[in-house]
Amino acid sequence: MFMKKAFAAVLATAVLVAGAVEAKDLRVASNTTFPPFEFVNTQTGEVSGFEMDLVRAVGKELGAKIEFQVLSFDAIIPAMLSGTVEMGAAGFSITEERKKRVLYSDPFYTSGLSLVTTKAKAGAVKSMKDLEGKTIGVQIGTTSHNAAKKVKGAKIVTFNTAGEAILDLSIGGSDAVINDRPVTAYIMTQQPKLGAQLVHQPETYSADDFAFVFRKDQSALKDEVNAALAKLKSNGEYDKIYEKWFGKN
């Protein structure tokens, strides 16, 4: 009788544990103004983009239901540290400053910064050196913002999104915008009238590795996500997602 009861207790515990895994939610904060990595599809209302598809694929590997929470970029890490969400996915570059506050997953994308300016100013604004003493538009709290701070004598104008910074540039609000190259290219492609007014300079600066972020006490979750990323890369699923958004390059 004792053995039967013990077996029943073990079985019940196993069922509860299995149920907890199957019902597990992973709350992920993102700033959906960073196409093609994350944005809201205006036709479906769905959170879309390369990084969002990758998060969903990771969730599938973990057996977790992904719950996206849309926040401003500079509010994501505070929300994560407070326990509102478990993970941040918003084109986070790996920096030594952020490492003091968060854990990073393995990198999933390497990007870099570039300059975009108007056709009228393209001849005079070709490099970071040319921005000294000029007005620079950036998305607040990003590596682009940090890069602008290093430009001697520059006036920095901050925006909640890169798209707003580029739109402001087009109407003369700044001399140039510093932003992640793939994002700038995507914005200009998706808005051809806007893109026709601008010049995306060819030089790329400070290659950045993008990764997901976690609280310092979530090393186990970080390890699970890293294992899922490794599997997605080995089984070809990562390549499929990449080609969907960036093509075979």
Side-chain angles (χ1 to χ4, degrees):
M1 180 65 71
F2 174 77
M3 290 297 292
K4 288 183 178 179
K5 288 183 177 180
F7 177 76
V10 170
L11 181 61
T13 300
V15 170
L16 285 172
V17 171
V21 171
E22 290 173 0
K24 179 171 61 177
D25 288 345
L26 182 59
R27 296 173 297 177
V28 180
S30 188
N31 175 235
T32 53
T33 58
F34 195 54
F37 292 91
E38 38 263 336
F39 62 96
V40 175
N41 185 314
T42 55
Q43 295 182 334
T44 65
E46 183 182 49
V47 175
S48 303
F50 168 72
E51 190 171 0
M52 301 294 92
D53 281 357
L54 192 58
V55 169
R56 290 186 177 97
V58 166
K60 186 176 180 180
E61 289 295 328
L62 298 180
K65 178 183 177 182
I66 300 298
E67 178 188 321
F68 287 113
Q69 295 193 18
V70 178
L71 302 172
S72 63
F73 184 82
D74 58 343
I76 292 174
I77 289 179
M80 190 175 62
L81 296 178
S82 71
T84 303
V85 297
E86 287 80 44
M87 185 171 111
F92 280 101
S93 300
I94 298 176
T95 67
E96 293 303 316
E97 182 178 354
R98 287 193 185 122
K99 282 183 179 178
K100 297 175 183 177
R101 305 178 69 197
V102 301
L103 297 176
Y104 281 104
S105 71
D106 292 336
F108 61 78
Y109 186 88
T110 299
S111 184
L113 303 179
S114 61
L115 304 181
V116 60
T117 186
T118 61
K119 286 185 174 181
K121 296 179 179 179
V125 182
K126 295 181 178 180
S127 69
M128 289 286 191
K129 183 71 176 175
D130 296 331
L131 291 177
E132 291 184 0
K134 292 185 171 60
T135 301
I136 306 171
V138 295
Q139 181 179 5
I140 190 169
T142 62
T143 52
S144 302
H145 192 180
N146 292 337
K149 291 177 183 178
K150 297 177 183 178
V151 178
K152 184 178 178 180
K155 177 184 176 182
I156 301 171
V157 185
T158 60
F159 299 86
N160 287 326
T161 72
E164 290 173 348
I166 291 173
L167 181 61
D168 181 71
L169 166 69
S170 72
I171 59 174
S174 65
D175 295 297
V177 167
I178 302 175
N179 192 43
D180 291 282
R181 176 170 292 282
V183 178
T184 297
Y186 183 83
I187 291 171
M188 293 175 67
T189 300
Q190 293 298 305
Q191 301 182 52
K193 289 184 179 179
L194 177 63
Q197 304 174 47
L198 307 174
V199 174
H200 196 183
Q201 299 293 14
E203 191 169 354
T204 301
Y205 307 88
S206 62
D208 294 318
D209 287 327
F210 287 175
F212 305 130
V213 294
F214 312 87
R215 289 196 310 272
K216 287 279 190 178
D217 62 353
Q218 290 183 310
S219 58
L221 175 59
K222 180 204 71 172
D223 291 343
E224 288 182 29
V225 170
N226 282 343
L229 281 172
K231 185 173 181 181
L232 292 170
K233 289 180 179 180
S234 66
N235 66 16
E237 189 61 28
Y238 175 92
D239 290 338
K240 291 179 183 178
I241 297 171
Y242 183 94
E243 290 177 14
K244 172 183 175 181
W245 294 101
F246 302 107
K248 295 183 178 181
N249 56 62

